Amino acid sequence: MSANPDDGAIERAAAEAPARRSPQANTLVIGLGGVLLLAAVGVLAHVLTTRSRDAVVDADFIELASPINGQLDALRVEAGDAVSRGQQLALVRDPRASEADVRRLRTALDTARADLDRLERQLALERQLALRFQQDASTYRRLETDRTGNELDQLKAARAREQEEVAFSQRDLQRQEALFRAGAIAETVVDRARTSLQQNRDQLQGIEARIRAQTNRLQAAESDLSLDRTRSSSDPLPRLQQSQLKLAQLEGEQAGSRRRVAGLEAQLNTAETLYRQQQQVWLEAPKSAVVWRVQARSGDTLRAQQPVLRLVTCSSRWVNTYVSEADLKRLQIGSRARVDLIGESLDLRGRVDLIRSGVGRLSGRDGEPSALPINLARESQVRVRIDSDVPAPPRKLCFVGYSARVIFP
């Protein structure tokens, strides 16, 4: 049976026509190309990105120990609890603390206060007496001045009269001498007149001397002094002086007593504070932190400086890792870093704050470099300070102790 000529023509036409790809094939080719491109980019990024070996998240720890011997009476926290600054965490009591010093100082303080009260009452009474003596002395001075002034006025009046007598005697002597020269009277009359003048002059001089003395007495009286006699203890001025001396003495004793009371009060406050500290002490958190470990339990007997709690400061965390010295050219202080926590989907961020090169190549003495063995790896330590912008869960202890890989973009 012969073949159909039309079928042969159709087969030749199909063989000569170009082959065409389906849309599914085109999509597959494009997808494969994109995957290859992403793989190439990933390989390039891996090559250009510095990765460290595994590291461990570290932080600052705070050790809280009992300052006294006693018993742990209360424990308010457990591991994983977040605490704030000043928060009371544990109470330690010592029932055997002695109160003898406090009692002794209280007794001494009560005695000193009683002495001070007695001195203050005595001072108040002495001030009243001094005020009264001051008034009496003022009155006495006024009266003494008035009396001396009156006597001085009387002497001045007597002096004026005597001066007139002297003047009269001089005129009488002149008349008697004239009559004697005329022969009218005898010489004895002239002598009597001359003697009378001299007597009047002597009396005038005596009055002048008394006036000077009285003037001195007046000045002394105005200055609370006496020129006639030594004053007795009954006079107001000596009594005032004695009272003033007594006041000065009492004021000195009062000042000393006040200083003693103040000193005893300070000693008592210190002794009471020390007794309270010896009797019971609250362990307080010095800053915001997380309880890392509880090292004692309620009811435990503690000795002084025995650890009770260990806290970790979540605001100060870092990782120490190691990179090849060849990668140091990509790092510098302040470079950003990413901390990939192993076992967590959360990544932390930080900055490089320390680079220590030559790890393993320093001798143990004097810190001087030693010869580098050929087979010793050239690595450098890099410390990354972790930022606090990501919440640190207390129950996970702020990721302290977690393993991580540090990536430096």
Side-chain angles (χ1 to χ4, degrees):
M1 184 175 180
S2 61
N4 191 345
D6 294 334
D7 293 339
I10 292 173
E11 290 178 358
R12 287 192 300 271
E16 294 176 358
R20 294 182 179 181
R21 287 178 298 184
S22 65
Q24 292 81 359
N26 292 335
T27 303
L28 179 61
V29 172
I30 294 173
L32 291 175
V35 170
L36 292 175
L37 179 60
L38 291 176
V41 172
V43 171
L44 181 61
H46 182 79
V47 172
L48 297 179
T49 300
T50 302
R51 285 174 169 80
S52 70
R53 300 187 317 194
D54 288 348
V56 177
V57 179
D58 202 352
D60 291 326
F61 289 89
I62 303 172
E63 200 84 26
L64 296 183
S66 173
I68 62 173
N69 295 323
Q71 186 177 18
L72 186 57
D73 192 68
L75 185 63
R76 295 183 173 180
V77 292
E78 60 182 12
D81 288 348
V83 297
S84 57
R85 180 178 181 180
Q87 181 178 341
Q88 295 178 338
L89 309 180
L91 176 62
V92 183
R93 293 184 184 273
D94 183 7
R96 295 175 297 178
S98 175
E99 199 180 2
D101 290 341
V102 175
R103 293 175 180 174
R104 177 181 58 80
L105 288 172
R106 283 175 181 169
T107 302
L109 180 59
D110 292 340
T111 303
R113 285 174 175 170
D115 292 341
L116 180 59
D117 291 340
R118 176 183 56 80
L119 285 173
E120 289 179 346
R121 290 194 300 270
Q122 192 173 355
L123 262 175
L125 178 60
E126 199 64 35
R127 287 192 179 101
Q128 293 178 356
L129 290 175
L131 179 60
R132 191 180 70 182
F133 293 155
Q134 180 69 41
Q135 295 172 350
D136 293 345
S138 299
T139 303
Y140 181 86
R141 180 175 61 251
R142 179 177 55 80
L143 295 176
E144 184 70 17
T145 302
D146 292 345
R147 186 188 70 175
T148 306
N150 292 334
E151 292 177 355
L152 181 60
D153 293 339
Q154 292 176 3
L155 288 173
K156 288 180 179 179
R159 182 182 60 181
R161 290 193 301 270
E162 198 61 37
Q163 287 174 346
E164 292 177 356
E165 290 292 335
V166 169
F168 174 77
S169 296
Q170 287 178 343
R171 292 194 302 272
D172 183 61
L173 177 60
Q174 291 174 358
R175 287 193 299 269
Q176 297 299 334
E177 288 177 345
L179 291 175
F180 174 72
R181 286 192 297 270
I185 59 174
E187 185 177 2
T188 56
V189 177
V190 176
D191 290 339
R192 187 179 297 111
R194 187 177 291 112
T195 301
S196 179
L197 175 60
Q198 186 61 38
Q199 290 176 349
N200 290 334
R201 285 177 175 171
D202 292 341
Q203 290 180 1
L204 180 59
Q205 290 179 356
I207 292 174
E208 291 285 354
R210 292 172 60 188
I211 288 176
R212 290 194 295 272
Q214 198 66 19
T215 302
N216 292 336
R217 291 190 182 92
L218 180 60
Q219 294 176 352
E222 291 175 347
S223 301
D224 287 331
L225 300 175
S226 176
L227 301 179
D228 294 336
R229 63 188 184 280
T230 302
R231 289 182 167 175
S232 65
S233 59
S234 61
D235 290 342
L237 184 59
R239 296 174 67 184
L240 174 62
Q241 293 172 347
Q242 293 176 0
S243 180
Q244 289 174 342
L245 291 175
K246 185 65 174 178
L247 271 177
Q249 178 184 355
L250 290 175
E251 288 174 351
E253 293 178 2
Q254 181 193 39
S257 182
R258 285 179 175 174
R259 288 193 296 270
R260 175 172 173 78
V261 168
L264 287 173
E265 288 176 346
Q267 293 180 32
L268 179 59
N269 291 335
T270 302
E272 288 177 342
T273 302
L274 181 60
Y275 171 68
R276 288 193 297 268
Q277 292 176 351
Q278 292 176 346
Q279 185 185 32
Q280 66 176 29
V281 178
W282 276 103
L283 301 183
E284 300 180 351
K287 59 174 64 176
S288 297
V290 172
V291 178
W292 176 264
R293 181 179 300 157
V294 177
Q295 298 172 279
R297 293 297 177 184
S298 296
D300 289 354
T301 300
L302 305 176
R303 63 181 184 277
Q305 303 306 318
Q306 179 176 343
V308 178
L309 293 171
R310 195 178 192 193
L311 310 180
V312 60
T313 306
C314 296
S315 59
S316 177
R317 295 174 298 167
W318 66 89
V319 292
N320 286 319
T321 187
Y322 297 87
V323 299
S324 172
E325 285 188 347
D327 294 329
L328 288 182
K329 58 185 178 181
R330 302 179 185 176
L331 303 179
Q332 59 182 354
I333 301 299
S335 297
R336 298 298 301 177
R338 179 165 58 89
V339 180
D340 183 12
L341 296 176
I342 299 175
E344 291 286 337
S345 60
L346 180 66
D347 290 342
L348 304 179
R349 294 181 292 272
R351 291 181 181 272
V352 176
D353 73 339
L354 175 68
I355 297 176
R356 180 184 288 113
S357 190
V359 177
R361 288 181 286 141
L362 296 180
S363 65
R365 296 177 300 172
D366 302 329
E368 296 181 356
S370 59
L372 176 63
I374 297 176
N375 59 348
L376 183 63
R378 293 174 171 84
E379 289 189 339
S380 297
Q381 179 185 6
V382 178
R383 186 175 67 194
V384 176
R385 185 71 61 174
I386 299 175
D387 298 338
S388 298
D389 54 349
V390 176
R395 285 299 174 181
K396 292 188 176 183
L397 301 176
C398 310
F399 302 125
V400 176
Y402 275 50
S403 299
R405 286 185 294 269
V406 184
I407 301 173
F408 303 94

